[in-house]
């Protein structure tokens, strides 16, 4: 029997000028897809992502995308919008695309009309939760399938009235080979930290949503005699404010701001635990990375984090905006090394079972196959009428708000 040709899939990524969470996850997915089953073509807006996908050997196109009607977006420009649709149609024609994969919500805004016209399935892969306005502005309810990295991402669509069978959760999967330490040198010695210190690492962009200010205030509540050291790893617009807060709290001798680091393995090798005091987080990728290195975590019970961390089993969950609760959880792990190590071992077991790249790739292979088998008549413009329920609910919501 002749083996079927691989499915040509257009992966469209709209992101920032770096390789971080959603970018790295897409690269891991692309690198591990079975070339006998999927033939990826990549279309993106940033040079860094285009360079990375070309280095993997995939046909790659780069354009300056614009999105409209959402918060802080430019004024709608019909000519540019139509140009993006024309470019998408040309890629579909040139590569005989059979499935469209939008890596974030934005590209759905111009891919949806193309998908309807060409009768192609459109998958929206969402790495964060979106507000109501964004869900409608990006035409997400018209996608053939909305895939969220956690249930927290999917639940608002169900509240909008979207059919459950048009949503799916596929947890992020990490290529753990990327996490190996970049050097064999002793990371604590390089950082000037004593071997008997208890080291807590907070890894992530320095933005208000990640709550490093809450973590600093919690750290200030723990007695200096605990010999505890905090590594803040990441960069972002809140860095100056956080450094100022650490100084005000008298913590600079016990806190190091390391900036962005690609050596997560080295950071984890220097750490005893990882802390994440997010105000909102749809997944918390760093928590999976910590688990891979047998590290327990202290994290806030927000967004999708409780789907990653089992409270009291692989880490400790605390309320958001509560420095006292964070401090108490950290102190508990500092005081009880056996408990700390037990949580770390359980975290490693959970990560290996649920959050590896092979499991994520397997889920996407099955999803692409299912989408490619959808009847084409359901994917055309007549199919748009079947997805009208969320728009009726939006109208009802708006009337209720006005009244």
């Amino acid at each position: 029997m002749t083996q079927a040709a691989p499915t040509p899939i257009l992966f469209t990524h709209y992101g920032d000028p770096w390789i971080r969470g959603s970018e790295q996850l897409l690269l891991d997915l692309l690198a591990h897809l079975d070339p006998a089953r999927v033939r990826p073509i990549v279309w993106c807006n940033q040079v860094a992502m285009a360079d990375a996908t070309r280095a993997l050997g995939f046909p790659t196109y780069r354009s300056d995308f614009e999105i409209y009607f959402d918060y802080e977006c430019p004024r709608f420009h019909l000519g540019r919008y139509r140009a993006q649709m024309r470019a998408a149609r040309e890629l579909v024609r040139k590569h005989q695309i059979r499935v469209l994969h939008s890596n974030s919500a934005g590209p759905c805004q111009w891919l949806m009309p193309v998908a309807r016209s060409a009768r192609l399935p459109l998958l929206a892969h969402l790495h964060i939760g979106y507000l109501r306005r964004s869900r409608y502005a990006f035409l997400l309810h018209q996608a053939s399938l909305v895939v969220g990295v956690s249930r927290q991402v999917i639940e608002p669509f169900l509240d909008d009235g979207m059919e459950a069978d048009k949503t799916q959760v596929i947890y992020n999967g990490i290529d753990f080979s990327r996490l190996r330490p970049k050097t064999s040198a002793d990371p604590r010695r390089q950082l000037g930290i004593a071997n008997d210190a208890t080291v807590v690492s907070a890894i992530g962009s320095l933005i208000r949503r990640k709550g490093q200010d809450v973590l600093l205030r919690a750290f200030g509540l723990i007695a200096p005699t605990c010999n505890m050291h905090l590594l803040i790893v990441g960069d972002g617009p809140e860095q100056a404010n956080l450094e100022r807060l650490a100084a005000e709290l008298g913590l600079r001798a016990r806190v190091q701001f390391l900036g962005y680091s690609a050596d997560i393995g080295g950071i984890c090798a220097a750490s005893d635990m990882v802390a994440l005091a997010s105000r909102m987080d749809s997944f918390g990728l760093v928590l999976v990375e910590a688990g891979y290195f047998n590290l327990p975590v202290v994290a806030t019970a927000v967004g999708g984090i409780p789907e990653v961390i089992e409270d009291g089993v692989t880490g400790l969950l605390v309320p958001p905006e509560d420095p006292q609760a964070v401090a108490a959880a950290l102190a508990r792990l500092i005081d009880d090394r056996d408990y700390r190590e037990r949580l770390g071992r359980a975290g490693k077991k959970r990560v290996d079972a649920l959050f590896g790249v092979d499991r994520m790739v397997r889920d996407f292979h099955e999803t692409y196959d299912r989408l490619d088998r959808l009847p084409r008549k359901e994917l055309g413009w007549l199919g748009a009428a079947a997805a009208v329920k969320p728009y009726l609910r939006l109208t009802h919501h708006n009337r209720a708000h006005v009244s």
Side-chain angles (χ1 to χ4, degrees):
M1 181 180 294
T2 303
Q3 183 175 353
T7 304
I9 299 179
L10 179 63
F11 292 84
T12 304
H13 176 76
Y14 174 77
D16 294 308
W18 51 59
I19 303 297
R20 301 284 173 87
S22 64
E23 291 83 13
Q24 188 60 65
L25 286 162
L26 178 58
L27 291 173
D28 285 350
L29 175 62
L30 291 170
H32 289 82
L33 287 170
D34 183 353
R37 298 179 66 176
V38 173
R39 179 163 60 87
I41 295 88
V42 180
W43 188 27
C44 60
N45 67 317
Q46 296 293 349
V47 172
M49 191 65 176
D51 289 346
T53 55
R54 288 192 185 108
L56 290 174
F58 300 117
T60 300
Y61 302 84
R62 196 194 73 80
S63 302
D64 293 323
F65 299 150
E66 281 191 357
I67 56 176
Y68 304 105
F69 307 119
D70 198 26
Y71 301 96
E72 300 180 358
C73 284
R75 180 177 296 180
F76 179 68
H77 192 292
L78 179 60
R80 295 193 187 106
Y81 180 70
R82 293 178 66 182
Q84 289 175 176
M85 287 195 295
R86 283 196 302 270
R89 282 195 294 268
E90 176 59 22
L91 290 175
V92 166
R93 183 199 63 76
K94 180 177 180 179
H95 294 281
Q96 299 181 313
I97 297 299
R98 298 217 310 263
V99 176
L100 298 168
H101 179 134
S102 176
N103 192 52
S104 74
C108 290
Q109 195 174 72
W110 66 88
L111 289 177
M112 190 283 291
V114 174
R116 289 291 184 194
S117 297
R119 297 191 174 189
L120 294 175
L122 170 60
L123 182 155
H125 188 192
L126 306 185
H127 300 267
I128 61 173
Y130 286 87
L131 298 175
R132 176 184 292 269
R133 173 174 169 174
S134 306
R135 298 195 297 273
Y136 286 92
F138 296 141
L139 307 177
L140 294 173
H141 303 93
Q142 288 290 330
S144 307
L145 184 69
V146 174
V147 172
V149 299
S150 65
R151 289 191 299 274
Q152 178 266 337
V153 173
I154 292 300
E155 285 168 357
F157 291 92
L158 301 178
D159 293 341
D160 292 340
M162 195 168 187
E163 299 296 331
D165 62 1
K166 290 192 174 183
T167 68
Q168 183 178 355
V169 174
I170 298 181
Y171 289 129
N172 288 330
I174 296 177
D175 179 358
F176 297 124
S177 67
R178 288 193 296 100
L179 302 182
R180 298 190 185 104
K182 308 299 184 187
T183 175
S184 58
D186 182 346
R188 290 202 176 197
R189 178 174 297 179
Q190 288 184 316
L191 294 169
I193 302 173
N195 286 332
D196 62 347
T198 302
V199 178
V200 180
S201 288
I203 306 169
S205 298
L206 305 187
I207 53 179
R208 187 176 185 278
R209 178 169 59 84
K210 292 293 185 179
Q212 288 96 345
D213 58 315
V214 177
L215 183 58
L216 283 171
R217 295 186 186 282
F219 196 69
L221 298 173
I222 298 173
T225 54
C226 287
N227 194 18
M228 183 176 171
H229 200 90
L230 177 63
L231 303 179
I232 295 184
V233 185
D235 54 19
E238 287 296 308
Q239 181 161 344
N241 291 335
L242 293 169
E243 290 180 348
R244 190 179 307 114
L245 177 61
E248 290 172 358
L249 295 171
L251 300 176
R252 290 309 303 266
R254 296 192 290 150
V255 176
Q256 288 190 45
F257 288 84
L258 302 185
Y260 172 75
S261 175
D263 188 11
I264 298 301
I267 297 298
C268 288
S271 306
D272 295 291
M273 66 188 85
V274 165
L276 185 64
S278 294
R279 293 177 166 91
M280 176 48 65
D281 214 313
S282 293
F283 188 79
L285 198 61
V286 66
L287 305 178
V288 175
E289 294 167 340
Y292 176 74
F293 288 100
N294 293 278
L295 297 179
V297 302
V298 171
T300 44
V302 297
I305 288 177
E307 298 176 52
V308 179
I309 299 301
E310 288 185 274
D311 188 26
V313 178
T314 66
L316 299 178
L317 297 181
V318 299
E321 303 281 9
D322 193 338
Q324 290 83 4
V326 175
L330 291 173
R332 181 180 179 187
L333 295 185
I334 293 168
D335 292 340
D336 193 339
R337 180 170 181 171
D338 288 342
Y339 183 51
R340 191 167 76 217
E341 293 178 349
R342 188 162 69 250
L343 293 182
R345 289 192 298 271
K348 170 67 170 172
K349 184 176 180 180
R350 180 171 173 80
V351 164
D352 287 344
L354 295 179
F355 303 118
V357 69
D358 290 342
R359 190 271 316 149
M360 178 177 72
V361 168
R362 183 174 63 251
D363 289 350
F364 271 108
H365 274 313
E366 293 172 356
T367 298
Y368 296 144
D369 289 345
R370 188 171 75 253
L371 289 174
D372 195 29
R373 291 193 300 267
L374 288 176
R376 289 310 193 236
K377 65 181 181 180
E378 295 180 6
L379 301 173
W381 285 106
L382 288 177
V388 72
K389 187 176 179 181
Y391 301 93
L392 296 175
R393 186 163 295 189
L394 176 64
T395 302
H396 175 75
H397 171 82
N398 289 340
R399 288 174 178 169
H401 183 73
V402 170
S403 62

